[in-house]
Amino acid sequence: MVYRQGLQAIPLSVDLWLHYINFLKETLDSNNPETDAKIKSVFEHAVLAAGTDFRSDRLWETYINWENDRGNLEEVTAIYDRILGIPTQLYSHHFQRFRDHVQNHLPKDLISPEDFINLRQELASTNAHFDNDGIPRNDLAAEIDINDPARIVSEIENMRHRIIEVRQEIYNHNENEVSRRWAFEEGIKRPYFHVKPLEKAQLKNWKDYLDFEIENGTLERVVVLFERCLVACALYEDFWIKYAKYMENHSNEGVRHVFSRACTVHLSKKPMVHLLWAAFEEQQGNINEARRILKTLEDSVPGLAMVRLRRVSLERRHGNIDEAEFLLQDAIKNSKTPNESSFYAVKLARLLFKVEKSLPKARKVLVEAIDIDKV
């Protein structure tokens, strides 16, 4: 339960995922046929949550080693097919290990039977290995003829070469993607959270990296990078706002989740992110939620004129003129200086005159304000 709560809070933590997996290996009954399925399920959740992180290599290697230990060579190949297309720090190391994986085992053990047959047919076609009528020979789907050792060796090597060649193209593309991100990754000097402010160069690097990924990356990669950024930059509302604005084009629930984390966990007293959250909820028609957000902010940081005026504007826009008037009267009553009282009195008089069309009420408010502020 503790591990699950931790992973729900910090799904990008490779270390936490590995600790959880090791815990399962040590505590689950190895004789239970469901144990391997449980561990594999956790591995899959782990790579889905953190597998696109640039520094997720240890997680992928652990997954590969676990499948290797169980002799699941086809599964190992499938995992390599995934990691070889993901820009990570040790991308070249993964490709070298994949080459060793292919060289050390028979092709028929590395890929599915269907892919194995298709590969043999492809190579046979390339080598014009056909009967006179142009139809592939029937023995293509069968085992290699053990009476022809030279053909055995040749076909195995050709298949190994082709398996690697196909992944080589993916690796080359991935190498280019890694090179485009390498300078940004080198610029991350403090990937962990600390209360001390980050250097300006660090903040700029995160901003530039995010802009690059937003322009060039997939939704998954952008989200993962934002999550990494907000570990180190959790106290900087600009990054939370940037994240929420990005998610507006993809998921309203995603926007709400970002704002909620920012306002309830990290930035409970930062007004701008709260005001934007309230505006978002109002746009979605969640008026009571917008009211709650603004009220919570004002309770946390009392005395902010922008928050009180935002509450007044919210009520006015939705026809609750009495509540808007009450909020301004309350602000006048609780003002700590004559200038503050006069400020709210002008706002109230304008509301009474422009919205309620009551000139006498507006005049009365201004006259009372002048009596209080005679300077």
Side-chain angles (χ1 to χ4, degrees), residues 227-246:
E227 293 294 339
R228 289 179 61 196
C229 170
L230 289 169
V231 173
C233 305
L235 301 182
Y236 293 87
E237 64 178 341
D238 288 352
F239 290 104
W240 287 102
I241 293 170
K242 187 181 185 74
Y243 191 7
K245 287 184 176 179
Y246 173 77

Side-chain angles (χ1 to χ4, degrees), residues 2-272:
V2 174
Y3 274 117
R4 290 176 184 173
Q5 291 176 344
L7 290 168
Q8 186 174 8
I10 318 173
L12 274 182
S13 175
V14 170
D15 287 333
L16 193 54
W17 278 111
L18 292 177
H19 281 302
Y20 180 41
I21 290 168
N22 287 333
F23 169 76
L24 293 177
K25 290 178 181 177
E26 294 171 0
T27 56
L28 294 178
D29 183 4
S30 59
N31 296 320
N32 189 328
E34 296 182 359
T35 293
D36 281 357
K38 168 67 175 176
I39 295 176
K40 184 176 180 63
S41 173
V42 174
F43 267 121
E44 282 298 316
H45 279 92
V47 296
L48 287 174
T52 54
D53 189 329
F54 193 79
R55 308 186 187 197
S56 61
D57 303 283
R58 286 189 301 121
L59 177 60
W60 287 102
E61 286 193 357
T62 304
Y63 192 5
I64 290 169
N65 292 338
W66 182 78
E67 291 286 12
N68 249 328
D69 291 343
R70 276 147 190 76
N72 300 329
L73 301 181
E74 186 179 326
E75 291 295 327
V76 171
T77 303
I79 296 171
Y80 274 121
D81 282 341
R82 295 161 69 180
I83 184 58
L84 291 177
I86 299 174
T88 65
Q89 189 174 29
L90 302 181
Y91 72 100
S92 59
H93 173 69
H94 296 311
F95 188 62
Q96 183 56 53
R97 287 195 65 192
F98 170 72
R99 291 168 64 94
D100 295 340
H101 168 66
V102 173
Q103 294 296 339
N104 293 333
H105 301 94
L106 292 174
K108 68 183 181 64
D109 297 327
L110 301 177
I111 54 180
S112 68
E114 181 181 356
D115 289 341
F116 180 73
I117 294 172
N118 291 336
L119 180 58
R120 292 191 68 192
Q121 289 177 341
E122 177 188 344
L123 293 174
S125 175
T126 302
N127 296 325
H129 192 168
F130 287 80
D131 287 332
N132 293 332
D133 57 3
I135 301 175
R137 289 174 50 176
N138 292 332
D139 67 343
L140 289 177
E143 293 294 328
I144 298 171
D145 184 1
I146 60 174
N147 296 318
D148 189 352
R151 182 178 167 227
I152 293 175
V153 173
S154 175
E155 185 167 11
I156 289 176
E157 289 307 313
N158 287 339
M159 295 183 76
R160 283 173 173 162
H161 175 76
R162 183 55 183 160
I163 290 172
I164 294 173
E165 184 181 41
V166 171
R167 277 75 176 180
Q168 179 78 51
E169 298 175 7
I170 299 172
Y171 169 77
N172 291 341
H173 175 75
N174 193 43
E175 185 174 37
N176 179 59
E177 292 299 311
V178 170
S179 67
R180 299 172 72 191
R181 292 165 173 82
W182 196 269
F184 294 121
E185 290 291 339
E186 288 291 299
I188 300 172
K189 306 301 182 185
R190 198 179 82 187
Y192 53 88
F193 173 79
H194 200 288
V195 293
K196 290 177 61 177
L198 276 169
E199 300 172 357
K200 289 184 179 180
Q202 290 278 290
L203 296 174
K204 183 179 185 304
N205 184 67
W206 278 116
K207 180 182 179 301
D208 292 345
Y209 197 178
L210 287 167
D211 289 341
F212 167 83
E213 204 65 71
I214 288 171
E215 182 178 352
N216 298 282
T218 62
L219 170 63
E220 182 183 11
R221 291 203 61 82
V222 174
V223 169
V224 167
L225 186 60
F226 265 116
E227 293 294 339
R228 289 179 61 196
C229 170
L230 289 169
V231 173
C233 305
L235 301 182
Y236 293 87
E237 64 178 341
D238 288 352
F239 290 104
W240 287 102
I241 293 170
K242 187 181 185 74
Y243 191 7
K245 287 184 176 179
Y246 173 77
M247 292 303 295
E248 284 179 359
N249 297 322
H250 302 282
S251 166
N252 286 337
E253 279 305 312
V255 177
R256 185 171 290 115
H257 182 61
V258 171
F259 275 132
S260 177
R261 288 165 56 200
C263 296
T264 61
V265 180
H266 301 285
L267 306 172
S268 61
K269 296 187 177 182
K270 293 279 189 178
M272 186 55 65

Side-chain angles (χ1 to χ4, degrees), residues 306-371:
M306 73 168 94
V307 180
R308 178 53 63 103
L309 294 179
R310 189 64 65 92
R311 294 182 66 193
V312 171
S313 297
L314 176 65
E315 300 300 342
R316 176 182 57 77
R317 284 194 295 273
H318 295 280
N320 301 319
I321 307 304
D322 290 343
E323 181 65 18
E325 183 179 344
F326 170 78
L327 288 170
L328 287 171
Q329 289 173 342
D330 180 70
I332 295 170
K333 178 182 177 182
N334 293 304
S335 295
K336 296 180 180 179
T337 66
N339 285 340
E340 185 180 350
S341 176
S342 297
F343 172 80
Y344 285 116
V346 171
K347 299 295 183 182
L348 177 56
R350 182 178 178 82
L351 176 74
L352 294 171
F353 179 65
K354 292 286 188 179
V355 180
E356 292 193 22
K357 310 297 183 183
S358 177
L359 179 59
K361 284 185 177 182
R363 181 183 292 113
K364 180 182 177 183
V365 169
L366 292 176
V367 169
E368 289 175 353
I370 292 170
D371 289 339

